[in-house]
Amino acid sequence: MRIGLIGVTALIEIVIDIVKSKSPDYFVGIFDDDRMKQHKKFYHCEVIGKINEIKYAFDQKIINTATICLGYNYLKKKKEIATALNNWNIPQLSFIHPRAIISSSAEIGDGVIMNMGTIISHNVKIYEGVAFWAGSIIEHDTIVHPHCFIAPGV
């Protein structure tokens, strides 16, 4: 697995923790537009390019999937990037912490990030790109729309 993570934010640390718990051999490259972050390492993974270089990295097989790790300060940008990834047919991988609790009847979209302690009850539908902080609870028969940011106590 060759994973491209988009944006150096607090969410990226959660995703890298989940990735490394699944397989320390996965390649993780980070894309971020901040030139001060270029070619630096964050959580043992290098920033390998700017966000507009994702398609090139995918076409060159540097990555084979991507996940947007931008938080609530970047919701509009997150939607724009998700649209571009969809248009370029770049798969968006979801990362679910092994200590999240999810009902078997829940539906989870692509590009979802779920931190530890998240609880998803029955008949919940979660669309693409939603981020859950630790301890978030979504109760039965709920729809969570794309690119939402869910915090504990919501």
Side-chain angles (χ1 to χ4, degrees):
M1 181 79 55
R2 304 186 62 74
I3 304 163
L5 301 180
I6 302 164
V8 177
T9 67
L11 283 173
I12 205 166
E13 185 175 10
I14 295 164
V15 171
I16 290 171
D17 182 50
I18 295 168
V19 169
K20 296 303 180 184
S21 73
K22 289 184 179 204
S23 175
D25 298 331
Y26 286 169
F27 169 82
V28 177
I30 303 170
F31 296 86
D32 195 287
D33 286 345
D34 185 340
R35 66 183 183 91
M36 300 300 290
K37 295 176 181 172
Q38 295 300 304
H39 306 292
K40 292 188 177 169
K41 287 192 173 191
F42 294 88
Y43 315 107
H44 309 290
C45 299
E46 186 175 350
V47 176
I48 60 172
K50 294 184 177 182
I51 294 170
N52 66 0
E53 297 170 329
I54 292 168
K55 183 175 183 332
Y56 174 82
F58 181 75
D59 290 343
Q60 296 300 310
K61 301 191 183 334
I62 297 167
I63 62 169
N64 58 15
T65 185
T67 297
I68 304 167
C69 297
L70 299 173
Y72 62 89
N73 289 328
Y74 303 97
L75 292 178
K76 183 178 177 185
K77 180 86 172 165
K78 188 175 180 177
K79 290 176 187 177
E80 291 170 4
I81 295 168
T83 298
L85 293 175
N86 288 334
N87 289 341
W88 297 330
N89 295 315
I90 298 175
Q92 295 179 61
L93 198 58
S94 290
F95 290 95
I96 299 171
H97 196 280
R99 292 198 176 151
I101 300 169
I102 303 167
S103 169
S104 61
S105 66
E107 296 177 44
I108 299 173
D110 296 330
V112 171
I113 299 170
M114 211 174 277
N115 203 343
M116 68 180 89
T118 300
I119 300 172
I120 306 298
S121 190
H122 63 280
N123 298 324
V124 170
K125 181 166 179 70
I126 300 168
Y127 283 90
E128 77 171 25
V130 178
F132 293 87
W133 280 109
S136 300
I137 300 171
I138 303 296
E139 274 297 342
H140 63 90
D141 303 312
T142 301
I143 296 172
V144 182
H145 289 275
H147 311 292
C148 289
F149 195 83
I150 308 295
V154 175

